[in-house]
Amino acid sequence: MSKDSEIRKAIEKEFKPKKSFDEFCGEHNLVFKEEQPKRKTFSFEWIKAILASAVCVAAIVLMLIPFANSIPVVPPIKYYGEDEVNVVNVSYIKLMEDGILPQSFEDIELYNRIVQIQAQEDNDLILGYLLENVVLYNEDVPVVFELDMVVRSYKGYLFAQIDSFDNLKLAYKEMYEYDISNEMKKKEAYIKFAKNDFEYFITLKEYKSLTEINKDNVELFLEHLI
């Protein structure tokens, strides 16, 4: 054996521990704690985000409250039938002066009655006006008709024959809605339109069979007599 080999073995023998590390620690009551993982630093960022969202929601609610309070509360409409009204005679001249009747009515001479319709429970509440058996004629227009007309100033007034003015199928000049009945013995036209604060409902009838009720003649009436 070479001298170098002997020297190397001697060094290894000298520095080789006679006991393992665990045995040595056990004999001398040495305990080493395992290194604990570092605790994460507590963050308030998520709390800040939640608080910011809550503040935004509260601000929006506070902004909307004044608008909600400013919305007017519309009371439900009260309806009046024919048995809940009073009628008072009125002059058509007065209605003309008040701008209630169409201008063409200024020359009428033949009619049955013209009345103002009031609520029984409150005579100050005017529901509308009724004109019966009015004959309109203009010598420049080759048609003559008799008509009944309701001028409604209160939407809750349910006058007689109001159902006749539902689902009118024809229109004229985007202002008038009308239809013609199919009954041979009772040929009538039903016309509806609105102007200013009033609604007009006209039942157009033949007068002594002078003018037939048909589409052309009804539109002549609308063009020149209303």
Side-chain angles (χ1 to χ4, degrees):
M1 179 179 298
S2 66
K3 193 171 183 177
D4 289 340
S5 297
E6 293 178 355
I7 293 172
R8 188 180 297 110
K9 286 182 178 181
I11 292 172
E12 290 177 353
K13 183 178 179 180
E14 181 66 24
F15 288 96
K16 182 179 180 180
K18 297 179 180 180
K19 298 179 181 180
S20 67
F21 178 77
D22 292 337
E23 290 176 337
F24 179 83
C25 291
E27 290 179 358
H28 295 84
N29 296 320
L30 298 176
V31 178
F32 292 88
K33 294 182 179 179
E34 294 183 3
E35 184 178 359
Q36 298 297 323
K38 292 183 179 179
R39 178 179 291 182
K40 292 182 179 180
T41 304
F42 186 75
S43 175
F44 288 94
E45 293 303 320
W46 65 278
I47 293 180
K48 292 179 181 178
I50 292 175
L51 290 175
S53 300
V55 169
C56 289
V57 171
I60 293 172
V61 170
L62 290 175
M63 290 173 62
L64 292 177
I65 287 175
F67 291 101
N69 291 336
S70 64
I71 297 175
V73 178
V74 179
I77 190 169
K78 179 174 175 55
Y79 292 94
Y80 295 89
E82 289 295 331
D83 58 345
E84 300 173 293
V85 303
N86 293 327
V87 296
V88 178
N89 290 328
V90 63
S91 166
Y92 79 89
I93 296 176
K94 176 69 166 64
L95 300 186
M96 288 293 300
E97 291 174 349
D98 292 343
I100 296 171
L101 295 183
Q103 193 65 31
S104 58
F105 277 65
E106 64 184 359
D107 296 325
I108 65 171
E109 296 182 1
L110 184 61
Y111 62 89
N112 183 20
R113 67 170 181 159
I114 300 176
V115 296
Q116 177 176 281
I117 302 161
Q118 305 166 342
Q120 282 183 355
E121 63 181 29
D122 180 6
N123 287 336
D124 291 332
L125 177 57
I126 298 175
L127 306 176
Y129 306 88
L130 171 64
L131 295 83
E132 288 184 333
N133 304 118
V134 176
V135 177
L136 283 184
Y137 172 72
N138 186 318
E139 60 184 16
D140 296 327
V141 183
V143 295
V144 54
F145 291 110
E146 182 180 333
L147 63 88
D148 297 333
M149 181 166 70
V150 173
V151 182
R152 187 165 71 171
S153 56
Y154 179 79
K155 286 188 176 293
Y157 174 40
L158 304 179
F159 57 89
Q161 292 188 321
I162 191 173
D163 293 342
S164 300
F165 298 90
D166 291 336
N167 304 315
L168 301 181
K169 298 176 183 177
L170 303 174
Y172 182 69
K173 288 191 172 180
E174 299 182 356
M175 177 179 179
Y176 304 98
E177 296 177 72
Y178 75 96
D179 208 348
I180 299 172
S181 69
N182 294 320
E183 299 180 29
M184 297 302 297
K185 294 182 179 180
K186 189 182 179 182
K187 196 77 170 179
E188 295 180 341
Y190 305 105
I191 302 165
K192 178 172 66 174
F193 65 97
K195 187 176 181 181
N196 299 328
D197 296 326
F198 301 99
E199 295 174 284
Y200 297 83
F201 303 85
I202 297 175
T203 302
L204 202 63
K205 300 173 285 186
E206 290 184 359
Y207 179 67
K208 297 182 178 181
S209 301
L210 293 176
T211 303
E212 180 185 359
I213 290 184
N214 56 38
K215 185 175 185 294
D216 291 338
N217 288 337
V218 169
E219 293 187 357
L220 273 174
F221 168 82
L222 295 175
E223 179 70 27
H224 299 285
L225 297 181
I226 289 295

Short mmCIF file of all heavy atoms in Angstrom, two decimals, residues 20-42:
data_model
loop_
_atom_site.label_atom_id
_atom_site.label_comp_id
_atom_site.label_asym_id
_atom_site.label_seq_id
_atom_site.Cartn_x
_atom_site.Cartn_y
_atom_site.Cartn_z
N SER A 20 -24.50 8.88 14.80
CA SER A 20 -25.28 9.69 13.85
C SER A 20 -25.74 10.98 14.53
O SER A 20 -25.73 11.10 15.76
CB SER A 20 -26.51 8.91 13.34
OG SER A 20 -27.42 8.72 14.41
N PHE A 21 -26.19 11.95 13.71
CA PHE A 21 -26.63 13.25 14.22
C PHE A 21 -27.84 13.09 15.14
O PHE A 21 -27.93 13.70 16.21
CB PHE A 21 -26.97 14.18 13.05
CG PHE A 21 -27.46 15.53 13.46
CD1 PHE A 21 -26.58 16.49 13.92
CD2 PHE A 21 -28.82 15.82 13.41
CE1 PHE A 21 -27.05 17.73 14.31
CE2 PHE A 21 -29.28 17.06 13.81
CZ PHE A 21 -28.39 18.02 14.26
N ASP A 22 -28.78 12.20 14.78
CA ASP A 22 -29.98 11.99 15.60
C ASP A 22 -29.62 11.36 16.94
O ASP A 22 -30.21 11.72 17.98
CB ASP A 22 -30.98 11.11 14.86
CG ASP A 22 -31.58 11.82 13.65
OD1 ASP A 22 -31.56 13.08 13.63
OD2 ASP A 22 -32.08 11.14 12.72
N GLU A 23 -28.68 10.40 16.92
CA GLU A 23 -28.27 9.77 18.18
C GLU A 23 -27.61 10.78 19.09
O GLU A 23 -27.86 10.81 20.31
CB GLU A 23 -27.29 8.62 17.89
CG GLU A 23 -27.97 7.43 17.22
CD GLU A 23 -26.96 6.35 16.86
OE1 GLU A 23 -25.77 6.69 16.71
OE2 GLU A 23 -27.37 5.20 16.69
N PHE A 24 -26.77 11.60 18.54
CA PHE A 24 -26.08 12.61 19.34
C PHE A 24 -27.07 13.58 19.98
O PHE A 24 -26.97 13.91 21.15
CB PHE A 24 -25.08 13.36 18.45
CG PHE A 24 -24.33 14.44 19.16
CD1 PHE A 24 -23.19 14.14 19.93
CD2 PHE A 24 -24.76 15.75 19.10
CE1 PHE A 24 -22.52 15.16 20.60
CE2 PHE A 24 -24.10 16.75 19.76
CZ PHE A 24 -22.96 16.46 20.51
N CYS A 25 -28.10 14.01 19.16
CA CYS A 25 -29.10 14.96 19.70
C CYS A 25 -29.93 14.30 20.78
O CYS A 25 -30.31 14.94 21.78
CB CYS A 25 -29.99 15.45 18.58
SG CYS A 25 -29.15 16.52 17.39
N GLY A 26 -30.23 12.98 20.61
CA GLY A 26 -31.02 12.30 21.62
C GLY A 26 -30.31 12.20 22.95
O GLY A 26 -30.93 12.33 24.01
N GLU A 27 -29.03 11.89 22.94
CA GLU A 27 -28.27 11.76 24.17
C GLU A 27 -28.16 13.08 24.91
O GLU A 27 -28.07 13.11 26.14
CB GLU A 27 -26.87 11.22 23.84
CG GLU A 27 -26.88 9.77 23.39
CD GLU A 27 -25.47 9.30 23.05
OE1 GLU A 27 -24.53 10.12 23.14
OE2 GLU A 27 -25.32 8.12 22.68
N HIS A 28 -28.16 14.17 24.21
CA HIS A 28 -27.95 15.47 24.84
C HIS A 28 -29.23 16.31 24.92
O HIS A 28 -29.18 17.51 25.21
CB HIS A 28 -26.87 16.26 24.06
CG HIS A 28 -25.51 15.62 24.12
ND1 HIS A 28 -25.14 14.60 23.25
CD2 HIS A 28 -24.45 15.82 24.95
CE1 HIS A 28 -23.90 14.22 23.52
NE2 HIS A 28 -23.44 14.95 24.57
N ASN A 29 -30.38 15.67 24.70
CA ASN A 29 -31.67 16.36 24.80
C ASN A 29 -31.74 17.65 23.96
O ASN A 29 -32.20 18.70 24.40
CB ASN A 29 -32.01 16.71 26.25
CG ASN A 29 -32.20 15.47 27.10
OD1 ASN A 29 -32.80 14.48 26.64
ND2 ASN A 29 -31.68 15.50 28.31
N LEU A 30 -31.24 17.56 22.77
CA LEU A 30 -31.28 18.71 21.87
C LEU A 30 -32.46 18.56 20.92
O LEU A 30 -32.62 17.52 20.28
CB LEU A 30 -29.97 18.80 21.06
CG LEU A 30 -28.70 19.02 21.90
CD1 LEU A 30 -27.46 18.98 21.00
CD2 LEU A 30 -28.79 20.34 22.63
N VAL A 31 -33.29 19.60 20.87
CA VAL A 31 -34.48 19.57 19.99
C VAL A 31 -34.41 20.77 19.06
O VAL A 31 -34.25 21.91 19.52
CB VAL A 31 -35.79 19.62 20.80
CG1 VAL A 31 -36.98 19.66 19.85
CG2 VAL A 31 -35.86 18.42 21.73
N PHE A 32 -34.57 20.55 17.79
CA PHE A 32 -34.58 21.63 16.78
C PHE A 32 -35.97 21.72 16.15
O PHE A 32 -36.46 20.74 15.58
CB PHE A 32 -33.52 21.33 15.69
CG PHE A 32 -32.10 21.41 16.20
CD1 PHE A 32 -31.48 20.29 16.75
CD2 PHE A 32 -31.41 22.61 16.13
CE1 PHE A 32 -30.19 20.37 17.24
CE2 PHE A 32 -30.12 22.68 16.61
CZ PHE A 32 -29.50 21.57 17.17
N LYS A 33 -36.64 22.88 16.30
CA LYS A 33 -37.98 23.08 15.71
C LYS A 33 -37.86 23.30 14.21
O LYS A 33 -36.94 23.95 13.74
CB LYS A 33 -38.68 24.29 16.34
CG LYS A 33 -38.99 24.10 17.80
CD LYS A 33 -39.74 25.33 18.32
CE LYS A 33 -40.08 25.15 19.79
NZ LYS A 33 -40.79 26.33 20.32
N GLU A 34 -38.85 22.71 13.52
CA GLU A 34 -38.86 22.92 12.08
C GLU A 34 -39.22 24.37 11.80
O GLU A 34 -40.02 24.99 12.50
CB GLU A 34 -39.90 22.02 11.41
CG GLU A 34 -39.54 20.54 11.53
CD GLU A 34 -40.55 19.67 10.81
OE1 GLU A 34 -41.47 20.29 10.18
OE2 GLU A 34 -40.43 18.46 10.84
N GLU A 35 -38.63 24.89 10.78
CA GLU A 35 -38.90 26.28 10.41
C GLU A 35 -40.33 26.42 9.91
O GLU A 35 -40.78 25.70 9.02
CB GLU A 35 -37.93 26.72 9.31
CG GLU A 35 -38.10 28.18 8.94
CD GLU A 35 -37.10 28.60 7.89
OE1 GLU A 35 -36.28 27.75 7.48
OE2 GLU A 35 -37.15 29.77 7.47
N GLN A 36 -41.10 27.31 10.58
CA GLN A 36 -42.49 27.53 10.19
C GLN A 36 -42.56 28.43 8.96
O GLN A 36 -41.76 29.34 8.81
CB GLN A 36 -43.25 28.21 11.36
CG GLN A 36 -43.29 27.37 12.61
CD GLN A 36 -44.06 26.07 12.41
OE1 GLN A 36 -45.05 26.07 11.69
NE2 GLN A 36 -43.57 24.99 13.00
N PRO A 37 -43.56 28.15 8.11
CA PRO A 37 -43.72 29.04 6.94
C PRO A 37 -44.10 30.44 7.40
O PRO A 37 -44.78 30.62 8.39
CB PRO A 37 -44.86 28.38 6.15
CG PRO A 37 -45.60 27.57 7.17
CD PRO A 37 -44.55 27.10 8.15
N LYS A 38 -43.60 31.41 6.69
CA LYS A 38 -43.88 32.79 7.05
C LYS A 38 -45.36 33.09 6.88
O LYS A 38 -45.97 32.73 5.89
CB LYS A 38 -43.06 33.74 6.16
CG LYS A 38 -41.57 33.66 6.43
CD LYS A 38 -40.84 34.66 5.58
CE LYS A 38 -39.35 34.61 5.85
NZ LYS A 38 -38.60 35.58 5.02
N ARG A 39 -45.95 33.77 7.90
CA ARG A 39 -47.36 34.17 7.83
C ARG A 39 -47.51 35.30 6.81
O ARG A 39 -46.75 36.24 6.81
CB ARG A 39 -47.85 34.62 9.20
CG ARG A 39 -49.29 35.10 9.18
CD ARG A 39 -49.75 35.52 10.53
NE ARG A 39 -49.87 34.38 11.41
CZ ARG A 39 -50.30 34.46 12.68
NH1 ARG A 39 -50.61 35.65 13.17
NH2 ARG A 39 -50.42 33.39 13.41
N LYS A 40 -48.57 35.15 6.00
CA LYS A 40 -48.81 36.18 5.00
C LYS A 40 -49.26 37.46 5.68
O LYS A 40 -50.01 37.42 6.64
CB LYS A 40 -49.88 35.72 4.01
CG LYS A 40 -49.43 34.56 3.14
CD LYS A 40 -50.51 34.20 2.15
CE LYS A 40 -50.05 33.07 1.25
NZ LYS A 40 -51.10 32.69 0.28
N THR A 41 -48.77 38.52 5.17
CA THR A 41 -49.18 39.83 5.71
C THR A 41 -50.66 40.07 5.42
O THR A 41 -51.12 39.90 4.29
CB THR A 41 -48.35 40.95 5.06
OG1 THR A 41 -46.98 40.67 5.28
CG2 THR A 41 -48.72 42.29 5.67
N PHE A 42 -51.45 40.42 6.45
CA PHE A 42 -52.90 40.66 6.30
C PHE A 42 -53.11 41.89 5.42
O PHE A 42 -52.46 42.92 5.61
CB PHE A 42 -53.53 40.87 7.68
CG PHE A 42 -55.02 40.99 7.63
CD1 PHE A 42 -55.81 39.87 7.44
CD2 PHE A 42 -55.63 42.21 7.74
CE1 PHE A 42 -57.18 39.97 7.40
CE2 PHE A 42 -57.00 42.34 7.69
CZ PHE A 42 -57.77 41.20 7.53
#
